[in-house]
Amino acid sequence: NLARPIEARELYRLANLSHSRFSEAFREAFGVPLVHYIRAQRLRRVKRLLRSTEMTVTEIAFTSGFSAVSLFNRVFKDETGMSPTQFRRTAI
């Protein structure tokens, strides 16, 4: 559920692994650390929502699990080189 905060500690417990073993296994399976994977999945969702909905950028940020719009804007721009609004305009 990308809309809610994802606690790594919760995932270790669910997998019945220590923090270090979970991190190692996750990286082996997906090629990136857990936090990078979650961020990539959230950004994938954001891009889809920007292209296909009329939701505001703020709604999309919170629906996609970002805790603050400023953080969302910074992460999105770092990833794509443009703001969410610019991305939406070019995606149409």
Side-chain angles (χ1 to χ4, degrees):
N1 183 353
L2 296 173
R4 70 176 186 84
I6 298 171
E7 295 292 330
R9 196 172 322 130
E10 182 182 332
L11 297 177
Y12 317 147
R13 275 190 245 125
L14 287 171
N16 199 28
L17 296 171
S18 68
H19 172 272
S20 59
R21 181 62 192 124
F22 179 87
S23 296
E24 181 182 310
F26 192 91
R27 188 183 291 253
E28 286 174 12
F30 295 97
V32 294
L34 174 64
V35 295
H36 293 173
Y37 181 84
I38 292 169
R39 183 179 61 208
Q41 295 308 306
R42 285 181 171 154
L43 288 170
R44 197 172 108 208
R45 179 180 184 177
V46 163
K47 290 174 184 177
R48 182 178 49 78
L49 292 173
L50 285 169
R51 286 185 193 111
S52 65
T53 72
E54 297 290 322
M55 293 171 68
T56 68
V57 170
T58 300
E59 289 170 327
I60 291 172
F62 290 123
T63 298
S64 300
F66 289 91
S67 58
V69 176
S70 58
L71 170 65
F72 166 68
N73 286 328
R74 186 177 78 244
V75 168
F76 192 88
K77 188 163 189 170
D78 287 349
E79 171 73 17
T80 65
M82 62 183 82
S83 73
T85 303
Q86 290 170 320
F87 180 87
R88 177 175 262 168
R89 281 190 214 126
T90 62
I92 296 174

